[in-house]
Amino acid sequence: MTTPAAAPYPSEHVPTTGIPNGKLGVWLFLASEVMLFATLFTTYIVLRMAAPSWPAGWEVLNVPLATLNTVVLITSSVTMVLAYAKACERDRAGFYRMIGLTIALGFAFLVVKAFEYGAKFHHGHFPSTDIFYAVYFTMTGLHGLHVIGGIGFNVYLALWAREHWEHPLFIGRVEYGGLYWHFVDIVWIFLFPGLYLL
Amino acid sequence: MAVPHSEPRSSEHGSGFIDKYVFSVDHKVIGLQYFFTSCFFLIVGFAMIMLLRWQLAFPGQPLPLIGRLLPMTWAPDGILMPEFYNQLGAMHGTIMVFLGIVPLGVGAFGNYILPLQIGAPDMAFPRLNMMSYWLYLPGGMLMLLSFVLPGGAAQSGWTSYAPLAIVNPGQTVWLLAMVVIITSSLLGAVNFIVTTLNMRAAGLTLGRLPIFVWAQLVTAILLLLAFPPLEAAAVLQLMDRIAGTSFYLPAGLVVAGESLKVAGGGQPLLWQHLFWFLAHPEVYVLILPSMGIVAEIIANGTRKPIFGYTEIVASMIFIGAMSFIVWAHHMFLSGMSPRLSNFFLVTTMIISVPSVAVLTCLVWSLKGGSIRFTTPMLFSLAFLPLFGIGGLTGLPLGLTVTDIYLHDTYYVIGHFHYVVVTGTIIALMGGTYYWFPKWFGKQLNDFWGKIHFWGTAICMNGIFFPMFIQGLAGVQRRLYDPTAQLHNLSTQPLNVVSSVSAWLLFLFQIPFLVNIVYTIFKGKRCEENPWRATTLEWACASPPPHGNFERPPRVYRGPYEYSTPRAREDWTPQHVPS
Ligand code: HEM
Ligand SMILES: [Cu+2]
């Protein structure tokens, strides 16, 4: 096929820094995500400091449900790590089990969140109600979108594994999916105390 | 080897027209897509301001010729409506910055030249690269489309200050389009950084990177870290508009005689901070690639190494870092505490030092060179003093005392257009002449190039120099009718000078455009390396085939080894073993 003298194709090029392209790319992407959420947290702090009064999170929000969700997400991070470990061990059935669990836990998080939102709407609390609910819905909503994105990528990994289990980039992609999933988890770990407990 | 590859191999995607020219993953095709699309947007943005300049020169008079063709809602009887005037101004700024200059400097020049200059077969993520373009184009089209949607285009300035932007029509589409465009830029930024760090040819250490590559790297880092805050800010403004939140709205606002029914509790100033946190780094995104282009051309056109390579690179990195802590110099008059404005005053003075250092190194590079006055070189030489004017006129805006007077006057418009038009655009035009042989294997006509150069350089000054005088005389920006205020009357003739220069500038672009089209179709093939340049992009065919280099290049020396003592010729390419 290719003549030996041909220049390497992008995926064959040996990374100059020694870090695979995908990994470097994911870390850079996460850096921009950090800036995105940092902006939202800053906005939250600025608005709250300037507000004459601010409701205590635990009085208006559902702390038990949010605690449950925290457990769900942390567990899903563990299963994600296990999925990666299984991929490295080349244990195919184990990988499917763990990635499946991660996806299911992601969905569980969203379902709980939907109940929380539903109850708020039921009581007439909308983003437009006041600045507290504006912050609450916007921040958790954007985080929810990230959860959906993460579930999407994990589903892609599960499907991709069927044909590409032996692909040289496969294990790397599982790792990148994991990095992203942990990031989504970490954002929640800031959101939970920030919104519900303070 | 039968290893399956997720990224398409360069040799595989040459089949159909669609794969080759529309949904191409080849950085060169994508670069040219960016080139032509951003040129289109630059012309559109320019056309808008040419309309607007009629109203400034001859307020209230009907536009001749084309006035009748405009819809009644824009210009009844050919007289521009104030709302339409505001749309033109806001969309001009937005289109020029986000859809014209950045995609041209980064998307077009960066995409095409950077992988070649580092000896790479393509970008690190070819498909992501394609996606960046295919987000940029629809985002831009959506922005343009907003003119004909109900409510019209955004009319609150490119800065979209709250609360005005939130109550004005047209803003929702602006915000949606911005989110798409920002996402495109973010994907591009990740790709550029990974490519620069990871795809370098053997022997190409960081210290041997051409300055253009360094400039693109710093630019990409700025985009990566500064754009997300604006994306978040835009989402919040979008929430204010469609979900009824009040992130940027205090309680008790009265709009058009009626009190606004929102919960309040928000902060208009928050938007300004978030906006400028992006928009100041953005001005370096606009200028850094151009500095890189000028450095390349000057080394080549003087036939000697760039003076102060290390100083230039260090200055660029320092500019990049500092640009995150100067943003509030745009807000001195927003009522912030003097202690805070002193901080931003000081950081602003500090950041001007590395910019001057870069310029000084470039000027000093001319010393003792045997300068060839080719068309690209003329543009680069013009860049030096003109960008200098742009930069130096910025200092009085960074000093609180003088900014109180100058803020929001035409002086500001003059200042940043000297930077971005006589600086950036001049450099980008020079870059087009310089790299055109790389793109098409043909050289643009030099005679028409020189006509284009002189006409452009003179007209640009004719447009923007009067603005300094107007600004000092107290003429404010964004005015629909400049004659409505008595103190503007004395400088009103300058508006005519400025407008006529703008229309002449347009005429002088015609030879440029014809030159490009004619050369692509009818031009004769030129040498592979017509400028006798040393950097790696000339180590492959012009235009390069898929995969770029016949075999992976190896680098033996720094980028600008011109007129090396005892060398056979006055240029020693980076990839030639000694
Ligand atoms: C070469 C032709 C250009 C001309 C004749 C021109 C002229 C003008 C004028 C007269 C204004 C003031 C409008 C007003 O007072 O309402 C303006 C505003 C502006 N221009 Fe340009 N400009 C040109 C190119 C550019 C370029 C290349 C950029 C950016 C990269 C740019 C960015 C802006 C921005 C950001 C504003 C402020 C818009 C606002 O008020 O929100 N312009 N331009
Ligand atoms: Cu600034």
Side-chain angles (χ1 to χ4, degrees), chain A residues 1-2 5-22 24-26 28-29 31-33 35-36 39-40 42-43 46-47 50-51 127-131 134-135 137-138 142 160 164 167-169 173, chain B residues 1 3-7 9-11 119 121-126 186 190 193-194 197-201 224-225 228-229 231-233 235-236 239 243-247 263-267 270 274 277 324 547 549-552:
Chain A
M1 5 182 312
T2 45
Y9 298 104
S11 48
E12 291 166 2
H13 186 97
V14 182
T16 316
T17 57
I19 308 168
N21 288 350
L24 199 54
V26 170
L28 290 169
F29 172 68
S32 81
E33 290 279 273
M35 293 301 287
L36 184 86
T39 308
L40 293 172
T42 311
T43 301
V46 167
L47 290 174
S128 55
T129 303
D130 61 23
I131 192 72
V135 168
F137 278 111
T138 308
L142 274 176
W160 208 56
H164 297 86
H167 194 286
L169 295 180
R173 293 224 171 145
Chain B
M1 263 195 359
V3 181
H5 283 275
S6 60
E7 303 295 359
R9 321 194 71 162
S10 313
S11 52
D122 205 314
M123 294 290 260
F125 308 110
L186 286 177
V190 170
I193 300 173
V194 176
L197 293 181
N198 256 359
M199 303 287 288
R200 278 171 285 144
L224 185 78
L225 299 180
E231 192 154 31
V235 168
L236 299 184
M239 290 291 287
T245 57
S246 34
F247 285 107
Q267 304 230 357
L270 181 63
L274 296 180
F277 186 81
F324 284 101
F549 297 89
E550 248 170 58
R551 73 183 78 89

Side-chain angles (χ1 to χ4, degrees), chain B residues 276 279-281 283-284 326-330 348:
Chain B
W276 287 113
H280 191 87
V283 307
Y284 290 101
V326 297
W327 78 88
H329 60 208
H330 297 273
T348 304

Side-chain angles (χ1 to χ4, degrees), chain B residues 49 53 92 96 101 157-158 410 416-417 420 425 477-478:
Chain B
I49 216 68
R53 289 260 25 143
H92 161 75
M96 286 302 200
I101 302 290
W158 83 294
Y410 258 89
F416 75 69
H417 283 84
V420 99
I425 291 201
R477 66 192 280 203
R478 292 178 178 164

Side-chain angles (χ1 to χ4, degrees), chain B residues 95-178:
Chain B
I95 288 177
M96 286 302 200
V97 173
F98 297 108
L99 297 170
I101 302 290
V102 177
L104 185 55
V106 178
F109 282 92
N111 235 319
Y112 203 111
I113 304 300
L114 181 136
L116 294 177
Q117 283 197 333
I118 62 172
D122 205 314
M123 294 290 260
F125 308 110
R127 275 207 234 127
L128 200 66
N129 202 14
M130 176 182 86
M131 230 165 94
S132 300
Y133 177 77
W134 283 105
L135 282 173
Y136 156 63
L137 183 64
M141 286 301 162
L142 181 62
M143 196 64 101
L144 275 190
L145 195 70
S146 64
F147 270 101
V148 292
L149 293 179
Q155 40 178 282
S156 320
W158 83 294
T159 50
S160 295
Y161 275 12
L164 182 68
I166 295 168
V167 297
N168 255 353
Q171 190 67 17
T172 305
V173 181
W174 188 92
L175 290 164
L176 289 172
M178 281 306 289

